[in-house]
Amino acid sequence: PLAARGSTRPCAHSEAAGQAAGRSRAGGRGRACAGQVATSRVQQGAAMNGNAGGGGNWRPNGNGRGGGNGGGGGGKPAHGPVAAAIASGALPEDGVIQAPQITVRSLQAGEEVDVFHRYAQDPNGYFMVQHATSGIIHPSIGKTDGWTTARVNETWDVQYFNPADYKTWVEIQWTHPTWYNRRGHKLDVHTPSMITQRVLPEQIRQRHGPSEAQQQPCLTLFHVRWGGEQPVNPVTEGAGGWGQIGATPSDNYINGLEEHIFQTLGPTYEIISCFFQSSDELLKISPPLLRHMLRGQHLAALYFMWPISYQDGHEFPAYVDKARLFELMVQMEATGIPTRFPHQSHLYRIFASKEWTAQMCLHPLLRTPLTTQVARQAIANNPAKAAETAMAALHRLSQTRASWNQQLGWSQEKPVPVQKGVAKLGWSWEAMDVTAWRNKQELTRALANLGEQPGSFVDLVFVQEWVEFDVEMRHFIVEPDLTKPQTMKPKQIVYTVFKSKEQGSFRNFDRYDRTRCLQTCFKNDDAALADAERQAEQLIVRWLEWLQAQSHELPTVCRFDIMARRVAPGKATIMTGELTELGGCFLGWPKGPQVVFAAMLRSCFKDPIHPSVGS
């Protein structure tokens, strides 16, 4: 594992200490003690096992391919297959074109080489800038992944290379003059130990022949990510945790994605990263100027943050004012830099606002709980009256639903007064703002608590009817296509049940596979669970058809959370729980990161660069 951000590994003359990551906060890339070789990271079996400034530990497929083709020199540069894949209009289904190749057989001490720098390999997160102010002044912007120059520090021969033994990697000294980390600290490039690092040979190209280092990148990614003093907690533990991959704004998640990109494309891309520490800094980015920094044949912007309806000052890292984020996204998209994570701005707004719940709750085919939107002004003036009128509105909606269903010949059900339900906010994350209520008094308190939080710009609170269910089935849909029915079937279903409420809010749940769900939730009635699953797949197709009206391009990935209840032997009923955007929790799906990252990367090659937008 790597040293924690801003720290140096212990100085012990042992094998473990000799494998310490070498860049210290005080001394940049320096050695942990005199005579100890500095490296960027420890790599067991060439598996990525680190995080730039945060200590991530996600490993794709449980292993890695850092060793390329294992020491054979002369392999073809990765750019050829990448270009061919782009020309054919698609990347392979598994996302892998070719493992990064070793093209050097031997290197001489003092030789000038091109080296592909990777931010995820640096425990203290230094990146390249062309001018000091790009690193000193926030938001800081620089190249985190891409080609730069270096000098070989000691003679190296491929026959002695072992990817599992860092001492056999190539020792270099970086020669790019200006490096900063996300906090604005400059790397001391005048002290040799500060710029000495061992890197894998597949990241090195010699200068006497053509290579990817001289070619236009096939893809330039612009990553907008948190750069504040307090790091994002990846929340890896627990049934409701994000797993080893971590929460989407965390270094764990971003490093996992970047590892997938390198293992798929090889050193043929570049990443320009923007590190921000407040919402206002998002509007200091100039998309037209930025466009001239992005050299790739294809471009993509990825936004690793959570938009909310609150002022800054809440001390939650990577939570930003939604208005600032969407102003930036729209400007970027208008400049020709498409959003590839999470979604293009107008579609992301649909997912994150949750307003679809109120808009579609009367549609009989979409099975959405009755929902009304309670205005902030009503809560501020008289929360008790707001609760009373919200409950009355739900009762009228219940009458309307019954009437519409009768007119359509769907059912003869009678309207039932809504006596309990949930109150919740849009633009909220990790189940933070969902509160159950059972009467007018509890709804009054829920409305006041949700609508009147410190720094709140919340304009409405959703009030929904209560839905009884035995299990919530989380369906992961990847790259759906309405003309290909198989693509609309889930890649994975995770079955969850909330097991506790804390002060009326939903926090903890148990997670099951199908067998355990059948035993625990459906009384071993396989026919009933199969009925629920069949209905859920039909419902998901309807939602995808609805989403086609919202966007000419369906989302690359989305998760449909469907509530199911066994109502009789062999029979079940279902209701829509949530439409979750790309970036939602994988909920323990082992192959989730691999499958989703591959789809995200393929989405970056959907569109060619417009001829009028040159590099």
Side-chain angles (χ1 to χ4, degrees):
L2 290 172
R5 182 167 68 91
S7 66
T8 306
R9 296 297 293 269
C11 180
H13 294 283
S14 65
E15 182 67 15
Q19 292 182 347
R23 300 189 186 187
S24 67
R25 179 166 181 171
R29 306 171 196 249
R31 299 173 180 174
C33 64
Q36 182 179 322
V37 176
T39 69
S40 64
R41 59 183 299 133
V42 178
Q43 190 168 28
Q44 300 295 335
M48 296 302 293
N49 187 31
N51 168 311
N57 58 1
W58 178 72
R59 303 186 184 197
N61 305 319
N63 56 40
R65 288 190 297 272
N69 54 10
K76 293 182 179 180
H79 208 181
V82 173
I86 295 170
S88 70
L91 293 171
E93 271 302 309
D94 63 1
V96 176
I97 296 175
Q98 173 179 313
Q101 300 292 295
I102 298 174
T103 66
V104 293
R105 297 196 62 83
S106 63
L107 297 165
Q108 301 300 313
E111 182 177 350
E112 300 287 337
V113 292
D114 294 311
V115 182
F116 192 83
H117 178 264
R118 298 184 60 201
Y119 184 76
Q121 292 177 330
D122 184 342
N124 287 298
Y126 284 93
F127 55 88
M128 295 170 276
V129 299
Q130 295 302 317
H131 193 278
T133 53
S134 296
I136 295 173
I137 305 298
H138 276 82
S140 52
I141 299 178
K143 183 189 291 187
T144 48
D145 285 41
W147 288 103
T148 187
T149 57
R151 184 181 303 109
V152 177
N153 220 33
E154 61 184 19
T155 299
W156 179 89
D157 194 294
V158 71
Q159 65 180 317
Y160 302 114
F161 171 63
N162 176 4
D165 182 359
Y166 86 102
K167 291 179 291 186
T168 69
W169 300 4
V170 183
E171 185 176 282
I172 62 163
Q173 287 188 356
W174 301 98
T175 56
H176 182 80
T178 315
W179 301 79
Y180 280 84
N181 67 14
R182 70 177 77 192
R183 300 302 303 143
H185 298 290
K186 186 177 182 179
L187 178 66
D188 178 9
V189 298
H190 300 294
T191 301
S193 63
M194 302 297 107
I195 55 173
T196 298
Q197 186 171 348
R198 288 191 183 273
V199 299
L200 291 161
E202 56 263 40
Q203 294 171 236
I204 295 180
R205 297 292 183 263
Q206 292 175 299
R207 293 187 172 181
H208 52 67
S211 74
E212 303 95 325
Q214 285 81 46
Q215 295 173 341
Q216 180 186 8
C218 71
L219 173 66
T220 296
L221 299 167
F222 183 65
H223 288 182
V224 188
R225 55 190 294 182
W226 179 247
E229 180 66 28
Q230 180 183 352
V232 177
N233 182 355
V235 195
T236 58
E237 303 299 327
W242 293 78
Q244 284 189 325
I245 191 60
T248 48
S250 71
D251 290 334
N252 291 48
Y253 188 95
I254 299 169
N255 288 346
L257 171 62
E258 292 177 355
E259 166 66 359
H260 177 89
I261 294 169
F262 181 76
Q263 296 298 342
T264 303
L265 301 180
T268 65
Y269 63 96
E270 66 179 4
I271 299 176
I272 308 298
S273 294
C274 170
F275 296 93
F276 70 94
Q277 57 187 3
S278 70
S279 300
D280 288 341
E281 289 180 3
L282 297 175
L283 298 186
K284 295 181 180 179
I285 300 170
S286 173
L289 292 177
L290 177 67
R291 176 62 188 84
H292 291 283
M293 293 178 61
L294 311 184
R295 303 170 47 244
Q297 297 171 0
H298 295 259
L299 308 178
L302 294 84
Y303 302 88
F304 301 99
M305 64 196 76
W306 283 316
I308 57 175
S309 298
Y310 296 87
Q311 293 177 310
D312 284 354
H314 43 67
E315 297 183 355
F316 287 92
Y319 283 74
V320 301
D321 181 349
K322 70 178 191 296
R324 303 292 193 272
L325 172 59
F326 277 85
E327 185 172 343
L328 170 62
M329 292 177 71
V330 170
Q331 290 184 40
M332 293 278 284
E333 292 165 357
T335 309
I337 306 173
T339 302
R340 299 304 182 197
F341 182 86
H343 304 281
Q344 58 264 46
S345 56
H346 83 280
L347 184 57
Y348 189 29
R349 185 178 288 108
I350 290 171
F351 281 109
S353 71
K354 296 184 174 63
E355 291 179 6
W356 59 267
T357 56
Q359 295 163 357
M360 307 310 297
C361 69
L362 290 175
H363 197 301
L365 289 175
L366 294 180
R367 302 292 295 164
T368 303
L370 295 175
T371 308
T372 190
Q373 299 176 153
V374 181
R376 170 78 175 270
Q377 64 182 25
I379 299 169
N381 288 329
N382 190 329
K385 182 180 179 181
E388 180 180 344
T389 56
M391 293 176 68
L394 288 178
H395 178 59
R396 287 191 292 273
L397 287 172
S398 178
Q399 294 175 318
T400 301
R401 179 173 61 187
S403 173
W404 286 14
N405 286 347
Q406 290 174 11
Q407 293 176 51
L408 292 169
W410 277 79
S411 70
Q412 298 300 314
E413 67 180 46
K414 296 182 179 180
V416 177
V418 178
Q419 303 292 345
K420 62 180 180 178
V422 296
K424 63 183 182 181
L425 299 180
W427 306 103
S428 181
W429 311 93
E430 301 183 293
M432 289 181 64
D433 297 299
V434 182
T435 303
W437 55 271
R438 294 169 296 180
N439 50 52
K440 175 185 171 182
Q441 291 73 28
E442 290 185 356
L443 179 56
T444 299
R445 287 195 296 271
L447 291 174
N449 291 337
L450 291 172
E452 299 289 289
Q453 299 181 61
S456 170
F457 288 125
V458 167
D459 58 345
L460 61 91
V461 177
F462 297 100
V463 177
Q464 289 186 323
E465 66 173 333
W466 182 261
V467 175
E468 297 289 350
F469 64 97
D470 297 318
V471 67
E472 191 166 12
M473 305 183 295
R474 320 292 189 105
H475 299 72
F476 292 86
I477 307 298
V478 180
E479 296 175 302
D481 183 336
L482 293 179
T483 67
K484 300 176 181 178
Q486 195 63 32
T487 67
M488 294 183 281
K489 293 185 179 296
K491 296 289 186 183
Q492 178 77 5
I493 304 176
V494 178
Y495 304 83
T496 64
V497 176
F498 281 100
K499 61 182 180 181
S500 68
K501 288 186 293 183
E502 299 173 7
Q503 298 179 342
S505 297
F506 301 89
R507 290 288 187 272
N508 301 312
F509 58 82
D510 287 323
R511 201 166 55 207
Y512 304 125
D513 59 14
R514 190 183 191 278
T515 301
R516 184 79 186 282
C517 170
L518 189 61
Q519 297 169 349
T520 306
C521 309
F522 262 63
K523 299 182 179 180
N524 285 313
D525 189 343
D526 186 77
L529 183 55
D531 183 47
E533 292 165 338
R534 177 188 56 79
Q535 292 183 57
E537 289 194 11
Q538 293 175 343
L539 179 57
I540 287 168
V541 171
R542 295 178 195 133
W543 275 118
L544 290 170
E545 291 168 338
W546 178 81
L547 281 168
Q548 187 73 92
Q550 313 312 309
S551 173
H552 71 292
E553 293 179 328
L554 289 177
T556 300
V557 177
C558 53
R559 197 186 76 211
F560 295 88
D561 299 345
I562 310 296
M563 298 176 286
R565 186 184 186 194
R566 179 181 179 272
V567 292
K571 297 294 182 181
T573 185
I574 64 167
M575 191 72 76
T576 301
E578 186 66 90
L579 309 184
T580 302
E581 75 290 341
L582 171 58
C585 182
F586 290 113
L587 297 168
W589 177 20
K591 293 185 178 180
Q594 176 186 353
V595 172
V596 170
F597 290 164
M600 288 169 58
L601 183 55
R602 284 191 291 271
S603 75
C604 295
F605 294 100
K606 288 195 297 187
D607 302 321
I609 292 181
H610 193 279
S612 64
V613 184
S615 296

